[in-house]
């Protein structure tokens, strides 16, 4: 009896599990399925084969590409007819090609410096306008008069404590100092950046689907 060729084989008793993060960065234009997400199958040959399937090839200067997991399932089923594909991750994901933006190290450092300067002066301006709107200076004056019974002569301990407490409070709140080495909780800033990244990826994917 002649053996079936691979083109006519079926894989009804095999299951492939796929897991994709919402955003995945890839280093090369040619993106294999194993680079875009995690693949698992009890049969090592099938798992290796799925990892080597080409999912996409980025065009020149193309930076991002959104995918539905249905495209991945269709790709796997086209190479392994009858196989069961079980998605345990996000239904949509975004690929980002790291090589699309090539910039020198000095330019990257310059960008960090400029962003830091703008953030510093922007935060300082926001704090000053808040203090002015809340009339913090007069509040400190009134508090000093209530507790001491006399008018302040220049800056007092209240201003000094406020000036020191504000930066240290921000540093402690954002968990930048005093961390234990075994503590890996994300800072509030990292949480907000993750939310922004997830919302951005969702918007890009939805825009591609609508277009």
């Amino acid at each position: 009896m002649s053996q079936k060729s691979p083109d006519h084989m079926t894989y009804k008793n095999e299951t492939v599990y796929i897991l994709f993060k919402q955003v995945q960065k890839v280093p090369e234009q040619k993106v294999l399925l194993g680079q875009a997400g995690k693949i698992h199958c009890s049969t090592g040959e099938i798992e290796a084969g799925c990892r080597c399937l080409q999912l996409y090839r980025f065009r020149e200067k193309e930076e991002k590409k959104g995918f539905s997991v249905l495209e991945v399932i269709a790709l796997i089923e086209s190479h392994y007819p009858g196989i069961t594909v079980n998605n345990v991750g996000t239904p949509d994901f975004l690929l980002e090609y790291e090589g699309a933006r090539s910039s020198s190290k000095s330019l990257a450092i310059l960008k960090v410096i400029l962003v830091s300067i703008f953030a510093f002066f922007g935060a300082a301006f926001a704090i000053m306008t808040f203090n002015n709107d809340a009339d913090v200076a007069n509040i400190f004056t009134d508090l000093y008069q209530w507790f001491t019974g006399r008018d302040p002569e220049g800056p007092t301990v209240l201003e000094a404590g406020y000036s020191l407490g504000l930066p240290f409070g921000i540093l402690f709140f954002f968990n930048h100092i005093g961390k234990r080495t075994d503590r890996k909780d994300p800072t509030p800033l990292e949480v907000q950046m993750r939310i922004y990244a997830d919302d951005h990826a969702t918007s890009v994917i939805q825009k591609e689907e609508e277009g």
Side-chain angles (χ1 to χ4, degrees):
M1 183 174 65
S2 60
Q3 188 176 6
K4 291 183 179 180
S5 64
D7 294 337
H8 296 87
M9 290 180 62
T10 58
Y11 301 86
K12 292 183 178 180
N13 296 326
E14 300 287 351
T15 301
V16 174
Y17 297 90
I18 56 177
L19 173 64
F20 295 92
K21 298 189 299 183
Q22 192 165 26
V23 181
Q24 178 65 42
K25 295 182 179 181
V26 292
E28 301 175 357
Q29 285 182 280
K30 180 181 178 182
V31 183
L32 303 180
L33 203 56
Q35 296 173 316
K38 295 182 178 180
I39 313 292
H40 174 72
C41 182
S42 57
T43 303
E45 182 180 353
I46 296 177
E47 179 178 326
C50 289
R51 290 179 182 273
C52 295
L53 296 178
Q54 180 175 332
L55 177 62
Y56 190 68
R57 176 180 286 275
F58 281 94
R59 299 186 297 272
E60 201 67 31
K61 295 184 179 180
E62 186 181 14
E63 299 177 2
K64 301 175 183 179
K65 176 65 178 176
F67 287 90
S68 168
V69 75
L70 294 177
E71 299 176 69
V72 177
I73 294 175
L75 175 64
I76 296 176
E77 290 180 343
S78 66
H79 287 78
Y80 298 95
I83 201 168
T84 300
V85 183
N86 192 344
N87 177 42
V88 295
T90 179
D92 302 296
F93 60 95
L94 183 70
L95 293 182
E96 291 186 356
Y97 174 39
E98 293 180 322
R101 296 181 179 179
S102 57
S103 58
S104 63
K105 187 175 182 179
S106 59
L107 181 59
I109 294 175
L110 179 62
K111 290 179 179 179
V112 172
I113 293 174
L114 289 175
V115 170
S116 300
I117 292 173
F118 290 141
F120 175 80
F121 285 103
F125 181 77
I127 292 172
M128 287 188 293
T129 54
F130 168 77
N131 291 339
N132 185 61
D133 291 340
D135 202 9
V136 174
N138 286 333
I139 291 175
F140 284 162
T141 299
D142 292 340
L143 287 174
Y144 188 85
Q145 290 173 340
W146 293 344
F147 283 99
T148 64
R150 63 178 188 271
D151 294 333
E153 298 177 359
T156 66
V157 67
L158 295 176
E159 285 83 357
Y162 181 75
S163 300
L164 292 174
L166 188 63
F168 279 105
I170 293 173
L171 290 174
F172 277 109
F173 177 75
F174 285 106
N175 202 20
H176 287 313
I177 59 177
K179 284 199 236 183
R180 299 199 312 262
T181 55
D182 60 340
R183 185 176 180 181
K184 297 182 179 180
D185 293 339
T187 67
L189 183 60
E190 290 172 335
V191 172
Q192 291 301 317
M193 291 299 294
R194 171 56 61 187
I195 293 174
Y196 168 77
D198 292 343
D199 291 344
H200 176 263
T202 301
S203 299
V204 172
I205 295 170
Q206 289 178 348
K207 186 176 180 180
E208 288 194 1
E209 291 177 350
E210 292 172 358

